[in-house]
Amino acid sequence: SYPYGTWTTILTTPVTGTGTSTVSASLTVNPGHYIDPEGTIYVQISTTGVASNALLRADALRVRVK
């Protein structure tokens, strides 16, 4: 969480193949834990078990706070 807390895993899902994947996840805690006073949202996308020449690319991140 912002600014110096620990990262919270909100989704773990396999991504297979070489095509495009879409994943959706919901926060079960106050989203304010991930937003600083200027409105910057802090997220981390990570992978495991991939080749060293693999490419992880996030083209879009949509955040909706209700």
Side-chain angles (χ1 to χ4, degrees), residues 11-66:
L11 179 69
T12 300
T13 185
V15 177
T16 58
T18 58
T20 300
S21 295
T22 300
V23 294
S24 297
S26 297
L27 292 175
T28 58
V29 297
N30 179 350
H33 292 179
Y34 306 96
I35 304 171
D36 72 12
E38 287 80 33
T40 302
I41 297 174
Y42 294 83
V43 298
Q44 178 181 19
I45 301 171
S46 61
T47 63
T48 59
V50 297
S52 62
N53 64 344
L55 174 65
L56 171 65
R57 179 173 44 205
D59 292 330
L61 176 64
R62 180 182 302 163
V63 176
R64 180 175 58 186
V65 179
K66 293 182 179 183

